[in-house]
Amino acid sequence: MEKTVTFAVGAMALYTGWAFLAKLATNGIPAEQAVVYTYAAGIGVALTYVIASGDAVVRAPGSIGIALAAGLFLGAGTISYYLALGSGSAAIGTAISGMYILGTAVLAVVFLDESLTASQLAGLGFAVVAVVLLSR
């Protein structure tokens, strides 16, 4: 669990930088073009990491197909997010789009047989309240 928390904290910090820089980028170029530049840089980082890890390339067609489908959702979601940033408040756009955590938690419980504790459910409830308050 400690590794999970460490990686998640790193992701949170990096996503914070990404969201802030995305807002700045959409002030100067169209949102969909900002996404293209963002993804080009992101693919470079991911390829560098894969090469540096030295791990063998895994060939699992089912999982690769799922990863490609996830990429379709990510691409469309990122364009929607950048359009939100370009059209208004970064605080509101980020808070609302960040609620994907709620949807992911529900899908994990329903389809992956994961469970949530009462405090985790309360946390998700507070997140919903926070988004409602931020979007007013």
Side-chain angles (χ1 to χ4, degrees), residues 6 13 21 31 34 44 126:
T6 300
L21 294 172
F126 285 129

Side-chain angles (χ1 to χ4, degrees), residues 50-101:
V50 167
I51 291 166
S53 73
D55 291 340
V57 174
V58 177
R59 290 175 180 81
S63 294
I64 292 170
I66 292 169
L68 291 170
L72 294 175
F73 279 91
L74 178 62
T78 303
I79 288 174
S80 295
Y81 175 65
Y82 275 60
L83 290 169
L85 291 176
S87 66
S89 167
I92 293 171
T94 301
I96 293 171
S97 65
M99 286 306 297
Y100 74 88
I101 60 171

